[in-house]
Amino acid sequence: MPPSTAPRSWKEKQRQEREALILQTAEEVFCEKGYHETSIDEIAARVGIAKGTVYLHFPSKEDLLVALFRRDTEQVISEVEAIASSPGCSAREKLEAILHLLYGELFKKRTRLFYSIYNSPEMRVLLEKKKEMGDHWGQLTHCLEELLAEGQAAGEFDPELPTSVMLSLFLNLVSVRGYERLVGQEGLAPAEVARYLARIYFKGIAAEHKPSC
Amino acid sequence: MPPSTAPRSWKEKQRQEREALILQTAEEVFCEKGYHETSIDEIAARVGIAKGTVYLHFPSKEDLLVALFRRDTEQVISEVEAIASSPGCSAREKLEAILHLLYGELFKKRTRLFYSIYNSPEMRVLLEKKKEMGDHWGQLTHCLEELLAEGQAAGEFDPELPTSVMLSLFLNLVSVRGYERLVGQEGLAPAEVARYLARIYFKGIAAEHKPSC
Amino acid sequence: MPPSTAPRSWKEKQRQEREALILQTAEEVFCEKGYHETSIDEIAARVGIAKGTVYLHFPSKEDLLVALFRRDTEQVISEVEAIASSPGCSAREKLEAILHLLYGELFKKRTRLFYSIYNSPEMRVLLEKKKEMGDHWGQLTHCLEELLAEGQAAGEFDPELPTSVMLSLFLNLVSVRGYERLVGQEGLAPAEVARYLARIYFKGIAAEHKPSC
Amino acid sequence: MPPSTAPRSWKEKQRQEREALILQTAEEVFCEKGYHETSIDEIAARVGIAKGTVYLHFPSKEDLLVALFRRDTEQVISEVEAIASSPGCSAREKLEAILHLLYGELFKKRTRLFYSIYNSPEMRVLLEKKKEMGDHWGQLTHCLEELLAEGQAAGEFDPELPTSVMLSLFLNLVSVRGYERLVGQEGLAPAEVARYLARIYFKGIAAEHKPSC
DNA sequence: CATGAATGAGTGTTCATTCAT
DNA sequence: TATGAATGAACACTCATTCAT
């Protein structure tokens, strides 16, 4: 019975749970209404806490967004890197797995805001202040770029295509708009959509004359 | 000599020119700073008119955005429809022309905000209030969808791919993020990027054994 | 009938009157409640305008205080310098006139806040941000110091006393606390108090054995 | 061996020491930053206790200030009264001793805030709520006033001067502003300044033709 | 008793919108 | 019609105070 660690860890646990709850709620409201249309008051109200409590966890609304971005990016990056470093798979297989990851269950939950951020000039302004966010994102794109280059080197992908173009298009395979249209309105399954997109994309970037033949 | 129409039409012309100028300026500022970070004051100042004058043309900031959206959509739609109805071209050729249109010069000027709008939850909220905007956009997508279906029917495109998926990806070929990265940072020419994207896309959606062999 | 200058000057006049009114009111409330206990809301309410209107004239609460300080300091300085440069008077006569000025009618109106500012650590913090304010004050003290030195040189004042000590005490002859006690509570006339203070002060700093005798 | 009083008195001692420490610290911070710019958090942090603990000793921030005021006033009053009742000294000698007391070491530590309080409207508002404080101060001024009257009666001081004016000026000999300027910036020794001030003051209020004549 | 997380009223500031001139 | 001063609702953020642990 450690009298000092137990309470501390309990308090700490409480604290972290609350922080996660704030983040989760903030993400929901940000996604629903957008960053500027969301007030700290509303986030607090939805969590069921007082406004001031939010500020015990995040020093400003902006930092709340940054924390959210970090949480999601780290989550995604670690999963993506796990896939990227899995042995015995071709670059294409890895990228396809990543696409499914991004488009699949995860998407619904964590990447909506995340994608919106980079597409919106609203956010660019904010992001320029917080260099770290750009760095995180850079980590992800760097990882993808290497896979693409690897695939080109291995003769899987068309070597004439600039890697940056392939990367850009790969990132655009996933989009909030597309998701909502295809999954939300048309009723397609995320995995199905991902499969189609992969099919088009990888066929599109495939090397001209596959090895033999 | 209609003493009332002549001056009225001159006044009217002045009025329309001013309105166009406001729209143009608003678009620039919105693109630079985002909708919420832009104040009516700044738009008016850049145009060189008083804040109140903006309200003589647009009843609210929101309506200014809607008008902007309409202007751009109509512009794009008319150009796209012109291409779509040009005779003697295959669906692929038409779509490729449209892609170049979207990615080319036009993009820099008119479609930045426009694309951001649909990717950002910030804007979705605003736009849901104005049903008409969805209609405009629907007109465009419908037009593209028909071209894609036409291509499938003609055996140009893989008939197994859902048209909606092809459409979604086609729309995603163009993105602000991608444009900035490839054209702005990497220094590629817009037309070059568009060519690469078209190459990947159309190869990706091509029918399996085209000619018959 | 100048159609362009008249309206401008009228507007401008309105504006300046309003600004003066805000300053006046702010001074009253600051004096009554102190800087921190005063809200912009209250100032606006007392003036009878909306809160936002205050911000059309002063960019922040702090700047409102600075403007107030400037207004009063400039007023005082110009009057003090007028006295200091009046010909044919001894240093003592000039300083005595200044003392009467500070203690007299002016005091009631303009210098209350002003004196409080320098005595309060609350304000020191603010003042450090706005160097200009210190400069203004320095102008005043410099002027007084010269008069004191002049008096010493002329054999009017005890040359053994450090000028800085004489200056410091001269400034302390006037005090909010003293004013309130003597004039407010005891019912003495300001001019009478000033006369007594001058009598004590100038006798206290007088040169030991005046010339002859 | 009273098992309840002994630990209680020990606890009580602890408690009082802590209370004194809080007061001391509060005074320092109040002097540095001013009352409003100081947060309970900072005081607690400097003492090394939790914020809530401060509230076990003082029911509010305001009461903390009042307690501080009381502590300092009582301290000063007791010392001043000790001087005032010391036998065999003239009124002037006593007042001179008091002046040195106020200006000397003590000043640096205990009277800064104390003087600011009466000069600042910020504080007047607060202190008017606590009548007792005025009483304390009244005790001190009463004591000084008696010494001045005593000196007048003894023929030391000019009998034509209103005692209240002499009192007011005596209180103003000491000032935060003056102290900082003369001791802090000019580098004069506090005792030296006090000597100069005494010299001026007592010469200024001296009876016309003292001993002989 | 001591703690410090939680509270929520209060405040400075912004800015879309209105309207008298 | 064009103006821009005036408005006031909205919001981020602070901090004295409370209270469950």
Side-chain angles (χ1 to χ4, degrees), chain A residues 38-41 51-52 55 60-61:
Chain A
T38 298
S39 71
I40 296 288
D41 257 319
K51 183 170 25 178
Y55 285 89
S60 73
K61 189 184 177 186

Side-chain angles (χ1 to χ4, degrees), chain A residues 75-87 94 98 101 143:
Chain A
Q75 174 95 18
V76 170
I77 287 175
S78 68
E79 295 188 73
V80 164
E81 287 183 338
I83 293 173
S85 61
S86 61
K94 288 174 183 172
I98 290 168
L101 170 71
C143 174

Side-chain angles (χ1 to χ4, degrees), chain B:
Chain B
M1 186 192 74
S4 59
T5 53
R8 177 171 294 171
S9 71
W10 184 81
K11 282 259 183 183
E12 186 57 24
K13 194 180 166 191
Q14 281 284 89
R15 183 191 157 76
Q16 285 180 3
E17 272 173 17
R18 189 179 316 227
E19 193 161 305
L21 189 55
I22 294 173
L23 279 175
Q24 191 50 42
T25 308
E27 181 157 65
E28 282 166 19
V29 195
F30 284 160
C31 281
E32 274 175 41
K33 308 194 162 186
Y35 177 78
H36 289 92
E37 307 277 4
T38 298
S39 69
I40 297 289
D41 253 320
E42 171 150 14
I43 295 170
R46 286 210 203 180
V47 175
I49 58 178
K51 184 162 37 169
T53 308
V54 175
Y55 283 87
L56 296 177
H57 293 266
F58 306 96
S60 74
K61 190 183 177 186
E62 204 173 290
D63 285 284
L64 177 53
L65 184 70
V66 171
L68 202 45
F69 185 88
R70 183 180 1 256
R71 185 197 67 166
D72 290 349
T73 312
E74 279 171 359
Q75 173 95 17
V76 171
I77 287 174
S78 69
E79 295 189 74
V80 164
E81 286 182 339
I83 293 174
S85 60
S86 61
C89 292
S90 67
R92 175 185 166 147
E93 283 166 335
K94 289 174 182 170
L95 286 164
E96 214 164 333
I98 291 169
L99 178 59
H100 273 86
L101 171 72
L102 293 175
Y103 215 93
E105 192 112 33
L106 177 77
F107 183 68
K108 226 183 325 183
K109 297 193 174 157
R110 306 204 106 94
T111 349
R112 248 198 175 68
L113 178 64
F114 179 85
Y115 262 91
S116 303
I117 283 175
Y118 246 70
N119 280 315
S120 152
E122 302 262 350
M123 298 292 98
R124 215 188 35 225
V125 177
L126 285 179
L127 298 186
E128 272 162 10
K129 297 186 198 164
K130 311 280 173 175
K131 289 294 178 184
E132 31 161 341
M133 300 182 67
D135 299 345
H136 278 241
W137 183 258
Q139 223 178 315
L140 176 59
T141 56
H142 181 69
C143 173
L144 293 171
E145 205 159 11
E146 285 202 332
L147 282 177
L148 288 164
E150 185 186 316
Q152 284 182 310
E156 280 186 295
F157 308 146
D158 185 346
E160 287 178 18
L161 292 170
T163 323
S164 59
V165 172
M166 296 195 306
L167 170 65
S168 174
L169 185 50
F170 183 83
L171 291 170
N172 281 348
L173 292 176
V174 183
S175 82
V176 176
R177 187 179 59 224
Y179 185 88
E180 285 178 345
R181 172 177 280 269
L182 298 173
V183 177
Q185 292 174 26
E186 310 255 337
L188 299 179
E192 196 183 358
V193 175
R195 228 178 302 121
Y196 281 125
L197 290 173
R199 178 170 160 181
I200 299 174
Y201 180 72
F202 292 111
K203 187 174 166 197
I205 66 168
E208 283 307 311
H209 303 290
K210 263 191 277 183
S212 79
C213 276

Side-chain angles (χ1 to χ4, degrees), chain A residues 6-204:
Chain A
R8 176 172 296 173
S9 71
W10 187 80
K11 281 256 187 183
E12 187 56 24
K13 196 179 164 188
Q14 282 284 90
R15 181 189 159 76
Q16 285 180 2
E17 273 173 16
R18 169 102 54 153
E19 192 160 307
L21 189 56
I22 294 173
L23 278 176
Q24 192 51 43
T25 309
E27 182 157 63
E28 283 167 17
V29 195
F30 283 160
C31 280
E32 274 175 41
K33 307 194 159 187
Y35 177 76
H36 289 93
E37 305 278 2
T38 298
S39 71
I40 296 288
D41 257 319
E42 169 150 17
I43 295 171
R46 285 212 203 179
V47 176
I49 59 178
K51 183 170 25 178
T53 308
V54 175
Y55 285 89
L56 293 179
H57 293 267
F58 306 98
S60 73
K61 189 184 177 186
E62 208 173 283
D63 285 283
L64 177 53
L65 184 69
V66 172
L68 206 44
F69 184 87
R70 184 181 359 254
R71 186 196 65 166
D72 292 349
T73 313
E74 278 171 1
Q75 174 95 18
V76 170
I77 287 175
S78 68
E79 295 188 73
V80 164
E81 287 183 338
I83 293 173
S85 61
S86 61
C89 294
S90 67
R92 176 185 166 149
E93 283 166 333
K94 288 174 183 172
L95 285 165
E96 213 163 337
I98 290 168
L99 179 58
H100 273 86
L101 170 71
L102 292 176
Y103 216 91
E105 193 110 36
L106 179 76
F107 183 68
K108 222 182 332 182
K109 298 194 173 155
R110 308 206 104 96
T111 351
R112 252 201 172 67
L113 177 64
F114 179 84
Y115 263 92
S116 304
I117 282 175
Y118 247 70
N119 280 314
S120 152
E122 303 262 352
M123 297 291 98
R124 222 190 25 227
V125 178
L126 282 180
L127 295 188
E128 274 161 11
K129 292 190 204 162
K130 309 278 174 176
K131 292 292 180 186
E132 31 162 340
M133 298 178 69
D135 298 345
H136 278 240
W137 183 260
Q139 223 178 315
L140 177 59
T141 55
H142 180 69
C143 174
L144 293 171
E145 204 159 12
E146 285 204 331
L147 283 177
L148 288 163
E150 186 187 314
Q152 286 182 308
E156 283 185 292
F157 307 146
D158 185 347
E160 287 180 17
L161 293 170
T163 322
S164 59
V165 172
M166 297 197 304
L167 171 63
S168 175
L169 185 49
F170 184 83
L171 291 170
N172 281 348
L173 293 176
V174 184
S175 82
V176 175
R177 187 178 60 224
Y179 186 90
E180 286 178 345
R181 171 177 280 270
L182 299 173
V183 177
Q185 292 174 26
E186 311 254 336
L188 299 179
E192 197 184 354
V193 174
R195 226 176 304 123
Y196 281 125
L197 290 172
R199 180 169 156 180
I200 300 174
Y201 181 71
F202 291 110
K203 188 173 164 197

Side-chain angles (χ1 to χ4, degrees), chain C residues 11 17 45 71 86 125 160 189 208:
Chain C
K11 281 257 185 180
E17 274 172 16
R71 184 196 67 166
S86 60
V125 177
E160 288 180 16
E208 283 308 311

